[in-house]
Amino acid sequence: MRKEISAALLSVMIASTLIAGCGKAATQNPEIDGTVSSGSGQENSENAQSGLSVQENAQNGSTAQKNAAPSLNILDDKYRTTYEVFVYSFYDSDKDGIGDLKGLTQKLDYINDGDNSTDTDLGCNEIWLMPISPSPTYHKYDVIDYKDIDPEYGTLEDFDNLISACHERGVNVIIDTVFNHTSVEHPWFTEASEFLRNHSELTFDEAAEQCPFINYYSFDTEKKDGYEPLPGTAYFYEARFWSGMPDLNLDSDSVRAELKDVLKFWIDRGVDGFRLDAVTSYYTGEDLKNTEFLTWINDTAKELNPSVYIVGEAWTSSATYTKYYKSGVDSFFDFDYAGSEGLIAGLARGTTPAEKFGTSLMVTEHTLSQINEDAVDAPFYTNHDMARSAGYFTGKGTEDKIKLAGALNLLMSGNAFVYYGEELGMKGSGKDENKRAPMQWTSDPKAEGMCKGPTAMDSFSMKYPALDEQQEDPASIYNYFKSAIKLRNMYPVIARGTTKELEDLSGKELCVMLRSVSEEEAAKFLAEAGSTGVGNGAEAGGADGGNDAETGNEAGGDAVNTSDASALDISAFGPLQLLVIINTSGEEQTIDISADERCAQFGAIDYQLMTSDSCASIENQVITIPAYGIVVLK
């Protein structure tokens, strides 16, 4: 089935998705007229694309490359673009000021509408839900019941409806899983505590024998580091984060049986994976024991569902968190690149040489592959525990740097994570509540669906406009993020390829790198995706083709037997190699790529991300790139 795209919709696609800023000129081309069928024959698209592919630059006589409207090619595997949602602050469906699951379901079209012929959604194809289980706190990282939904957020039925709506759109859902500790209000802890209070005459061993829940936690008669007094008793309990979060005894077979049941409960409800909270704290200061427990989680979850995706939060340096890949867990967040002092922010500020991006990616990819050949990196730029990126930069070019930093995150290989509101340049720093402010659908805090935010959140104004205003501005942060995500969705090699920095071409202002996969690797990725990879766009079975095996059958042919990768049409993967050039400086840069023989095949710019109305140009392999610009050649 093919869907017709109006000229007006095509203009929006070009302006907001294909070239941030650059697309403005393209939409003014008089040759774009009438109705263009996405993926239809040349009779409808040839003229429109000719007006987009090349535009003469009157100032220097060079050829400024424009993008035609290329199709998406989204594979259904673990290499995704994931949108982190704090439900409390996202969208309120029942007018109590608190976001909820029904509200998120109502706003799914914002994240991904499931229709690849439209350009009104972000294009993310996975959602990470911060904790949704019952909890006495707004953040819900202290769980009372692992197998239920917090009443503030709705019901299990609401959750089931959300899962169904996501899966209809080809969007996976992973949930935050807090196995290091529970709430002091969890029945396991309250029963253990009450028993110890009421049976002071018993020794600890006698009490534990009569009340099994005592061994669910770590109690002691001596005050140790990280332990809190248990009121009304002579005991102390381990609580490394806060007195309201008692640490579980993860050596207990009974606890592990409970946690296995938790994993099964959510997998049975259709959850696609788990984000593991605070994995370095399972056994404080004991990386080997943490890895052993992570191995248990990974093996247990994948016995229940072999395709489940797991990503761990190991907030430490890469020297430590890369070792955790020995557990078999798919991903760990790449903290070296994130936050105000991470590599991405340094590149955007210009305090870190551009060439460092390529060399760092090479090291990261090589390190992970040596530890676990199936490792999937988890790049991110900000999250709910970090100040938002709008506060990272000051002075001239601040908005440009915010855009560039977001693109750098999305250009990394692996499963890239975006924190809600970063695509709008939302503010938020200081205490955690400020970092979890209401999603800025509109600047009117009393508008329908707007959340009030955490009670203790400070009052502050946002620096950049809300979504309703940014949607109308082709040069907005929002539309730039959409462009960056679109690039990731067009070319599977972006997320799945291996990086090779071209050191002779790279330097302080420019990073020049190849992103490549071999034919064998492409075949493997297509096979693991469970389809030919051709259900996702014009050249791949129709504009509305699915991005999973089931919808791929309708739009792009039968699903492929994953055991026979040789039967795959490798061309369905798209380009096996891209040349990416990034200008991290505030000045226009010119580079002659013919100086490196590995660039001989690259003669035209296929895609560009610009933070302004300026466009890149190429003539005889000499490329001019505006400030903070990114160009991709295939």
Side-chain angles (χ1 to χ4, degrees), residues 275 278-280 312-317 320-321 324 333 335 339 380 383-387 435:
R275 180 265 186 184
V279 303
T280 58
E313 179 207 25
W315 197 326
T316 181
S317 69
T320 297
Y321 64 72
Y324 282 20
F333 290 112
F335 278 90
F380 75 108
N383 67 16
H384 59 280
D385 289 322
M386 296 176 171
K435 304 164 188 172

Side-chain angles (χ1 to χ4, degrees), residues 75-79 307 492 496 518-534 548-549 558-570 572-573:
L75 303 188
D76 185 18
D77 59 11
K78 296 180 178 182
Y79 293 82
S307 65
R496 296 160 187 81
S518 66
E519 289 190 0
E520 293 76 15
E521 289 169 330
K524 177 183 176 184
F525 286 123
L526 289 172
E528 289 175 348
S531 74
T532 60
V534 299
D548 58 21
D558 293 335
V560 172
N561 183 342
T562 59
S563 64
D564 186 11
S566 63
L568 294 164
D569 176 6
I570 303 302
F573 186 84

Side-chain angles (χ1 to χ4, degrees), residues 180 184 189 196 204 214-231 233-251 281-284 286 289:
N180 180 69
V184 289
F189 191 78
L196 290 173
F204 180 80
I214 290 173
N215 278 329
Y216 276 38
Y217 299 89
S218 297
F219 291 99
D220 206 294
T221 55
E222 295 182 9
K223 177 71 168 72
K224 297 179 179 179
D225 181 49
Y227 278 64
E228 297 286 338
L230 182 65
T233 75
Y235 290 100
F236 300 86
Y237 62 96
E238 187 177 15
R240 299 279 176 173
F241 282 79
W242 169 52
S243 60
M245 294 177 170
D247 285 17
L248 285 166
N249 172 18
L250 300 177
D251 285 330
S281 296
Y282 290 151
Y283 298 89
T284 303
E286 299 187 56
K289 293 197 72 174

